[in-house]
Amino acid sequence: QNAPDVTKEVLKELEKLGVNVFLATEFKSFFGSADHIEYCDIENSLENSDIVITVGGDGTFIKSAKESAEKNKPLLCINAGKLAYLAGLENSELSFLGDIVIGNYKTEKRMMLSATIIDKNGKILYHSNCLNDAVVSRSGNIRIMNLSISCNNAPLMDYSADGVIVSTPTGSTAYS
């Protein structure tokens, strides 16, 4: 099955459970109108929700983790494909959504990275939070960079390299 088909099944299950759903406006053409669905921008969807549910695979979960963490919302990923290590439910387990409605679930806290790239003059070039890893590399010509790595604002190491990957336990499995 694909994500839109699984999402339709999730929406049906949530309707049976009497749950109000907030979806990003961009999805209205996929899922249409229903009494229990309110379409709004992603910011309002996150603000108004008690829990964030994503449908997809690990990539979808990782992208959504950043947004839900910023709003301090728990996140559940429902697998829409063949394999998703980070999914909390398979698409055949949608009946378990009822447990979430009554509060019968546990959350798992995961380490996240806050990565900032600062030039030698102290100007912030890039900042992002991430669940799996932060990758810094040159685009175009690959040549050596001088890197100063800090952790919690404390200098960690200086070295020359063509890039660096910093990974959380969630992301480290891809590099083992």
Side-chain angles (χ1 to χ4, degrees), residues 43 53-54 70 113 137:
E43 187 74 20
I53 298 175
T54 63
E70 288 172 359
L113 295 173
S137 64

Side-chain angles (χ1 to χ4, degrees), residues 24-38:
T25 306
E26 65 194 79
F27 297 121
K28 190 169 187 172
S29 63
F30 287 109
F31 306 116
S33 296
D35 289 340
H36 73 295
I37 299 174
E38 182 179 328

Side-chain angles (χ1 to χ4, degrees), residues 29-160:
S29 63
F30 287 109
F31 306 116
S33 296
D35 289 340
H36 73 295
I37 299 174
E38 182 179 328
Y39 291 96
C40 51
D41 63 48
I42 191 72
E43 187 74 20
N44 284 326
S45 287
L46 291 167
E47 283 291 332
N48 293 320
S49 298
D50 296 317
I51 186 169
V52 176
I53 298 175
T54 63
V55 178
D58 289 346
T60 304
F61 181 84
I62 288 167
K63 181 182 181 296
S64 299
K66 174 181 171 179
E67 296 163 341
S68 62
E70 288 172 359
K71 300 295 182 187
N72 199 28
K73 304 289 182 169
L75 173 64
L76 170 67
C77 181
I78 299 173
N79 183 14
K82 294 184 175 142
L83 190 61
Y85 293 108
L86 300 173
L89 290 178
E90 294 298 319
N91 57 29
S92 61
E93 299 175 317
L94 298 183
S95 62
F96 289 116
L97 289 171
D99 287 335
I100 293 170
V101 172
I102 62 171
N104 185 24
Y105 65 92
K106 293 180 185 177
T107 58
E108 176 183 345
K109 297 218 181 243
R110 290 183 180 259
M111 175 191 293
M112 291 188 73
L113 295 173
S114 177
T116 306
I117 299 174
I118 305 170
D119 71 11
K120 60 185 172 185
N121 298 317
K123 180 181 174 190
I124 295 176
L125 302 175
Y126 179 80
H127 174 79
S128 185
N129 296 314
C130 48
L131 176 67
N132 58 337
D133 57 27
V135 178
V136 177
S137 64
R138 282 198 190 270
S139 62
N141 267 344
I142 297 180
R143 27 182 255 249
I144 299 298
M145 299 181 279
N146 295 319
L147 300 167
S148 296
I149 309 297
S150 299
C151 181
N152 296 328
N153 295 319
L156 188 60
M157 67 175 65
D158 293 333
Y159 65 97
S160 297

